Amino acid sequence: MASKLQQFQSKACQASKFVARNGTAYYKQLLEENKQYIQEPATVEKCNELSKQLFFTRLASIPGRTESFWKELDYVKNLWKHRSELKVEDAGIAALFGMECFAWFCAGEIVGRGFTFTGYYP
């Protein structure tokens, strides 16, 4: 166990040195590649304006998202009405999707319990 800890410490030290050497160059490169998204001057007023723009843009997208939801729901209803024509591939995809949703639910439960399988902490 002590040797594993020592190996981990040495790897962490190497990673820290790598970031110290190359982190600034990566930061500058990232800013240079994305300079069209940077607002100058960066003031509190500008940040408030951008946050309001994001909020109202998201708010304006709600009708389109609800329309998409109802289209998807109509598609599922149509599949259910014509389930005798359902292909095995479609049923398999639906089953895999359901299993994936259940797996994510279980992962969320485990995280919510503090990464334990037995129960919640008191």
Side-chain angles (χ1 to χ4, degrees):
M1 182 69 178
S3 66
K4 294 282 185 189
L5 182 62
Q6 194 172 24
Q7 287 176 349
F8 180 73
Q9 285 176 337
S10 69
K11 293 286 185 186
C13 184
Q14 288 174 356
S16 176
K17 287 178 184 177
F18 178 78
V19 169
R21 267 195 325 267
N22 302 323
T24 305
Y26 175 73
Y27 175 75
K28 288 180 182 178
Q29 177 189 358
L30 186 67
L31 286 181
E32 185 63 32
E33 290 173 357
N34 297 296
K35 66 182 173 185
Q36 72 268 18
Y37 303 115
I38 298 173
Q39 293 291 320
E40 292 292 338
T43 61
V44 174
E45 292 82 16
K46 192 64 173 176
C47 290
N48 287 336
E49 179 186 349
L50 290 172
S51 68
K52 285 182 183 179
Q53 285 178 350
L54 176 64
F55 175 75
F56 287 108
T57 300
R58 297 276 185 181
L59 197 60
S61 72
I62 289 175
R65 286 191 268 157
T66 54
E67 182 181 338
S68 297
F69 169 76
W70 289 114
K71 284 182 182 177
E72 291 285 332
L73 188 62
D74 289 339
Y75 177 74
V76 170
K77 286 179 183 178
N78 189 28
L79 276 179
W80 188 252
K81 284 180 185 175
H82 301 96
R83 62 183 174 266
S84 61
E85 301 170 6
L86 191 63
K87 298 177 191 172
V88 175
E89 295 90 14
D90 294 334
I93 290 171
L96 284 174
F97 178 72
M99 289 171 48
E100 182 182 1
C101 289
F102 181 71
W104 280 111
F105 169 77
C106 291
E109 282 291 310
I110 292 167
V111 169
R113 291 181 182 143
F115 297 98
T116 64
F117 292 100
T118 56
Y120 294 97
Y121 289 123

